[in-house]
């Protein structure tokens, strides 16, 4: 049986960025876009060029993503021609594979919000789509408030969608902008739409305001839509967008979808889903949802003797899919064995080969468990994990040793009577038997410490000259009786390689220092720095 | 049109208590049961008498709840008679209005887990239900793995359900124990069940493992089931149970349900839903899900100038229901995407009244924009926003002034040769014309600075004695040429009030200091501390 193609459209970086408290940097956006592409998404909508400097910069050069990089914008302004609308021109100038335009399809909004006639709105949709198509870009129309519009005036809502399709839009996307539509309504309305527009040109954009974001997306697919828009982890304003992290595994793992549909996501890339989900949370500096379907830490956690022993006999007794399929792990809360397969998988990723039954793997599993209980997060700090593993599996040279450090931050009035703050750090280290003392200044205590630490590492200096701190994240964990601080550092070198390290301590400076040391040691090992004589 | 009755069954205190880390005391259970009753739930399943001392005690006396207090247990043990099964006798002795028995309906489980014949299992169901009915209690059967069982052997699964019904069970509840069934499957299977058993004796018990817990419950109702089992906030093991906090408002507020069905929940009690949801989180000592449908803090939060001004004109433009209906409130976020309307709305929330066209509003809008461009995030730091606004709109007393501070973090070997890190801070401040110098130690530089700053603020000391730092978040922003650090601090006082403040600086200590000062000043103003003489 030939399977129909379903297209997956991610808008984490555009609609997801509307979320309260979410603030992506350009670096964040490029990194997440790469993750989404690796997962196998068809479209990555990355921003609204012209709306803010970061999005404008993102679309100012070719990103060669693989997945279709999509720019978001509005249909042309009422009363202006395409050539006379600077916002629309900025959108046309964006280096994007596809352009997704949002347009009004609810007659009430056309009247009240735009203040134009319904026909004028149709003409605006037509002109805007044609202008995108004329530049050989893939065009799509996000039909704002489509379901509410359809309920109020089905003919007009449909005529907007048809106008876009006839003007050459590759996709007409039906948006449940307020998120209040229920699955049975979505099914009925999409069924009608696909009797006018071929389903393989119809998409669904659902929100989660009634807790039906996923069900609405699936209902639209069953009714004939063939593109799904959503976000990783269901990120999005209010109650979030349709959660692709839940939808994707259902499409691949549930028979009656998998038999009928295919996507660009393979069983292998599906195995990276949990990782992609956690990385996004780390980037947003927020705790992952333990109870998230498929990817949550508790999604395959079993408590209580009966469940645990049943699962050990046959996991299907209390698991609807196998956790490995989405890169998650089973957690048996009585006798925790979940760690081992996870650790083996990470070793493979790091290129460290070791026999499954090697006793050192057991020691590493114990160590990782212990340290994660203390606050370390190796999921997000692969370089620190690799260092830890190498220290167990092989001999890692002690390139240098830090005997002590001191950091001082002082705010005072300078000679001109202005308030200034200075940060200064001193580090005392031993390199090849010699004591080296360095002092550094910086923006803040960690920067000063970093500068002092990297000022003079003797023969190793050349290896770290191109090392650069890209990002620095801090989280306070209140697991036990005392709060500890977890610091995640992202580093980069001259060749553009990036790696993450982690440090944990009640003291933020200590935690930062640990992550800094890991970053330097990781680079020295990876670049084959010789052991000290 | 007469409406059919839908019955709501809450199992927060029984199935919800299976969640990892959840541990209700007897007082917790009684308090939550009272909330659920006040809300208008029909059944409150409160525990498993005989399984643990708390549940046994709970069912040892009449609780006169109002809602039907329900005891949970298993059908009688295979190979024993009712009178010879101590566990079952304990259940019969429980002072409960209703008894919900879980029984197997998947032939594979009957064989493998119970090790008895299918007929023996049917007889066990019959005897158990009849024993409950004989004591004049309402009986129900939770059909474990019903949907998986039905897919494997529909006749047998149905015969279990029918046996219970014919033995006098008020309800036969179809459980999707693994949570892997999809809405269209639930609809088809429930449709078949209600052709054998009247729908007003059929219930649904869904889990959220595919993110369809709510949709599955609604699909069952559309297919004819008339009892819904779920939990408050979707509490429950793995990915949680069907979320009643999402289902209940949909049933009452969405026309095509409200027209067809009635429940014991009234518009008035629906208005307590948000409160009930938050109270449960508080009891569990966990942060509420900001993005929860209907009751989340962000469920009616609007960001971005267009959305905000549209919502102010007509809330229906971006709200599918009115927030008051569920006891929630609208939030118009101050952010760089919004402008004047956001700021005005925020002023109103803070209780600061000012005319729309007051020129000071324009100055405040400009200031907010400027500072957000520099990295401040007022949408997440309402207390800092309020301070900023008050400084523009009125005169805020300068309670004290910090002239200088110095923070030192030192890592060195102590006398025992161990590596230790110490943090120490000194602060020099002027309070009512007097210079005060204080020194403090701490876990890290910010904690030390906080301790020093709050050691002696003269006459203001009593106002801040109960001020406590709850959370501390750090983000590095790489917007401009230089990275800046944004610190968000959450504070709490003795009365449980919480507020957020923000600080931004290239130096993390400076940024933290700014947020700390805002927090103290906010508390002094709010508690009406007098201006210095």
């Amino acid at each position: 049986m030939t399977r129909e193609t379903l297209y997956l459209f991610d808008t984490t970086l555009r609609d997801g960025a509307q979320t309260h408290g979410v603030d992506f940097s350009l670096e964040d956006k490029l990194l997440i876009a790469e993750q989404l592409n690796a997962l196998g998404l068809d479209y990555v909508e990355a921003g609204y060029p012209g709306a803010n400097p970061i999005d404008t910069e993102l679309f100012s050069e070719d990103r060669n993503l693989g997945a279709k990089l999509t720019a978001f914008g509005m249909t042309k302004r009422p009363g202006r021609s395409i050539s006379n609308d600077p916002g629309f021109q900025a959108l046309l100038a964006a280096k994007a594979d596809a352009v997704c335009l949002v347009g009004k399809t609810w007659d009430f909004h056309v009247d009240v919000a735009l203040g134009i006639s319904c026909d004028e709105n149709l003409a605006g949709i037509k002109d805007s789509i044609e202008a995108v198509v004329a530049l050989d870009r893939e065009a799509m129309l996000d039909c704002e408030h489509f379901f509410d519009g359809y309920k109020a005036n089905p003919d007009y809502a449909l005529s907007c969608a048809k106008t876009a399709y006839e003007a050459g839009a590759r996709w007409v996307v039906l948006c449940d902008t307020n998120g209040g539509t229920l699955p049975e309504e979505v099914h009925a309305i999409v069924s009608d739409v696909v009797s006018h527009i071929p389903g393989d040109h119809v998409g669904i954009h659902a929100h989660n305001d009634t807790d039906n974001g996923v069900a609405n997306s699936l209902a639209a697919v069953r009714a004939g839509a063939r593109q799904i828009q959503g976000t990783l982890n269901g990120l999005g304003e209010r109650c979030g967008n349709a959660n692709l992290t839940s939808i994707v595994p259902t499409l691949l793992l549930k028979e009656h979808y998998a038999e009928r549909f295919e996507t660009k996501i393979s069983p292998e890339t599906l195995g990276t889903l949990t990782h992609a989900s956690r990385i996004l949370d780390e980037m947003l500096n927020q705790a992952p949802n333990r109870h998230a379907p498929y990817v949550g830490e508790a999604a395959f956690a079993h408590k209580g003797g009966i469940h645990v022993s049943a699962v050990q006999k046959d996991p299907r007794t209390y698991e609807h899919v196998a956790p490995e399929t989405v890169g998650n792990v089973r957690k048996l809360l009585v006798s925790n064995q979940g760690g081992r397969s996870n650790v083996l998988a990470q070793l493979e990723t790091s290129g460290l080969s070791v026999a499954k039954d090697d006793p050192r793997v057991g020691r590493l599993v114990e160590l990782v468990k212990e340290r994660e209980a203390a606050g370390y997060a190796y999921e997000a700090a692969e370089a620190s994990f690799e260092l830890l593993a190498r220290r167990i599996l092989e001999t890692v040279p002690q390139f240098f040793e830090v005997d002590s450090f001191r950091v001082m931050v002082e705010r005072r009035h300078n000679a001109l009577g202005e308030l200034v703050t200075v940060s200064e750090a001193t580090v005392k280290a031993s390199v090849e038997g010699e004591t080296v003392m360095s002092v550094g200044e910086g923006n803040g205590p960690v920067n000063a410490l970093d500068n002092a630490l990297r000022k003079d590492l003797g023969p190793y200096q050349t290896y770290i000259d191109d090392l650069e701190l890209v990002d620095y994240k801090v989280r306070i964990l209140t697991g036990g009786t005392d709060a500890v601080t977890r610091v995640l550092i992202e580093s980069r070198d001259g060749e553009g390689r990036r790696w993450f390290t982690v440090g944990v301590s009640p003291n933020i400076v200590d935690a930062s220092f640990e992550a800094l040391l890991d970053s330097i040691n990781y680079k020295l090992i990876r670049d084959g720095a010789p052991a000290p004589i």
Side-chain angles (χ1 to χ4, degrees), chain A:
Chain A
M1 184 172 144
T2 38
R3 295 184 299 165
E4 287 185 73
T5 304
L6 270 184
Y7 295 84
L8 296 168
F9 181 109
D10 182 278
T11 182
T12 305
L13 304 176
R14 203 277 303 168
D15 217 8
Q18 296 292 314
T19 316
H20 181 210
V22 167
D23 217 359
F24 292 122
S25 67
L26 180 62
E27 303 286 340
D28 288 345
K29 285 202 165 192
L30 293 174
L31 195 84
I32 295 169
E34 200 30 74
Q35 293 261 353
L36 293 166
N37 175 53
L39 194 58
L41 274 291
D42 296 282
Y43 296 90
V44 173
E45 187 174 57
Y48 187 169
N52 62 66
I54 287 174
D55 288 2
T56 303
E57 193 182 341
L58 194 150
F59 286 103
S60 67
E61 45 183 285
D62 283 323
R63 299 292 175 182
N64 303 312
L65 185 62
K68 290 181 184 165
L69 189 71
T70 307
F72 173 86
M74 296 210 265
T75 51
K76 76 163 188 67
R77 283 180 64 185
R80 297 217 177 204
S81 68
I82 296 283
S83 56
N84 203 14
D85 181 339
F88 201 85
Q89 287 299 326
L91 190 58
L92 290 177
K95 301 210 163 148
D97 304 301
V99 176
C100 185
L101 299 172
V102 62
K104 304 224 176 280
T105 58
W106 186 358
D107 56 357
F108 165 72
H109 272 247
V110 171
D111 181 34
V112 172
L114 295 184
I116 58 174
S117 75
C118 281
D119 283 345
E120 229 178 312
N121 182 51
L122 290 177
I125 291 174
K126 179 171 181 286
D127 291 351
S128 304
I129 294 288
E130 283 177 351
V132 173
V133 173
L135 289 175
D136 254 352
R137 304 261 162 75
E138 197 172 298
M140 39 194 122
L141 183 74
D142 258 10
C143 301
E144 201 190 16
H145 291 297
F146 184 82
F147 294 91
D148 294 315
Y150 181 97
K151 287 185 213 172
N153 184 344
D155 290 340
Y156 186 68
L158 274 169
S159 67
C160 294
K162 279 193 284 192
T163 298
Y165 173 62
E166 284 158 10
R170 168 69 187 87
W171 292 103
V172 177
V173 183
L174 314 178
C175 300
D176 184 28
T177 308
N178 293 358
T181 310
L182 296 170
E184 57 274 23
E185 300 174 310
V186 169
H187 192 275
I189 294 173
V190 173
S191 298
D192 185 27
V193 172
V194 299
S195 73
H196 295 90
I197 299 170
D200 58 2
H201 289 262
V202 174
I204 177 77
H205 175 113
H207 283 263
N208 201 37
D209 295 76
T210 70
D211 225 345
N212 282 300
V214 167
N216 281 346
S217 306
L218 295 173
V221 168
R222 289 200 308 282
R226 292 296 174 259
Q227 191 210 78
I228 302 176
Q229 297 198 345
T231 61
L232 218 48
N233 296 348
L235 197 71
E237 60 179 334
R238 302 193 315 267
C239 311
N241 286 57
N243 189 349
L244 286 179
T245 317
S246 299
I247 293 170
V248 162
T250 293
L251 294 176
L252 269 91
L253 302 174
K254 295 294 176 179
E255 244 176 50
H256 68 285
Y257 287 98
E259 277 171 358
R260 284 187 59 193
F261 302 109
E262 62 183 357
T263 68
K264 260 177 51 193
I265 295 178
S266 68
E268 287 70 38
T269 63
L270 184 63
T272 67
L273 187 70
T274 299
H275 180 70
S277 161
R278 306 260 169 99
I279 284 289
L280 177 63
D281 280 324
E282 280 300 340
M283 215 166 262
L284 297 174
N285 204 8
Q286 67 189 14
N289 174 7
R290 289 180 52 76
H291 299 285
Y294 295 106
V295 299
E297 219 184 303
F300 301 95
H302 306 284
K303 183 177 167 181
I306 299 172
H307 278 212
V308 168
S309 71
V311 162
Q312 282 180 318
K313 270 189 224 154
D314 184 350
R316 288 169 307 165
T317 48
Y318 291 99
E319 285 176 1
H320 69 119
V321 299
E324 312 81 70
T325 53
V326 291
N328 205 341
V329 288
R330 177 172 307 130
K331 281 214 152 150
L332 302 178
L333 299 171
V334 177
S335 60
N336 192 339
Q337 306 185 344
R340 196 178 184 92
S341 51
N342 201 17
V343 162
L344 281 167
Q346 281 203 48
L347 285 174
E348 213 184 299
T349 310
S350 304
L352 291 166
S353 66
V354 54
K356 268 189 188 176
D357 51 0
D358 190 311
R360 292 172 305 174
V361 174
R363 283 216 304 284
L364 182 58
V365 170
E366 282 313 307
L367 194 59
V368 166
K369 250 194 230 170
E370 226 170 74
R371 292 173 72 94
E372 292 206 328
Y376 290 81
Y378 288 108
E379 182 91 36
E382 290 150 339
S384 285
F385 171 81
E386 190 179 324
L387 269 181
L388 191 72
R390 285 189 189 275
R391 289 193 174 119
I392 297 276
L393 299 175
E394 54 191 48
T395 310
V396 171
Q398 178 81 39
F399 299 108
F400 60 92
E401 206 160 350
V402 174
D403 302 315
S404 66
F405 67 71
R406 187 166 54 219
V407 181
M408 207 236 353
V409 179
E410 187 171 6
R411 177 191 262 194
R412 52 177 154 76
H413 291 89
N414 67 8
L416 301 170
E418 302 157 338
L419 264 181
V420 292
T421 307
V422 291
S423 302
E424 187 192 286
T426 54
V427 170
K428 191 170 157 191
S430 315
V431 190
E432 297 210 313
E434 278 185 39
T435 297
V436 182
M437 285 188 71
S438 307
V439 57
E441 285 188 322
N443 269 341
V446 177
N447 188 219
L449 187 59
D450 184 35
N451 286 336
L453 183 62
R454 294 207 269 144
K455 203 168 219 172
D456 184 8
L457 285 180
Y460 302 115
Q461 198 57 32
T462 52
Y463 290 91
I464 58 168
D465 273 344
D466 66 337
L467 189 158
E468 196 188 338
L469 233 86
V470 194
D471 204 357
Y472 173 79
K473 285 191 172 131
V474 181
R475 160 105 51 87
I476 310 299
L477 307 166
T478 45
T481 47
D482 278 325
V484 297
T485 303
R486 177 204 292 162
V487 168
L488 271 175
I489 283 180
E490 183 182 359
S491 308
R492 180 170 58 188
D493 66 11
E495 293 167 43
R497 292 177 297 192
R498 286 158 180 276
W499 60 98
F500 291 83
T501 54
V502 62
V504 171
S505 164
N507 190 314
I508 192 174
V509 176
D510 256 349
S512 307
F513 181 71
E514 187 182 7
L516 285 173
L517 275 190
D518 266 13
S519 176
I520 293 175
N521 278 306
Y522 176 78
K523 175 126 173 52
L524 291 176
I525 288 172
R526 211 201 38 202
D527 288 356
I533 308 148

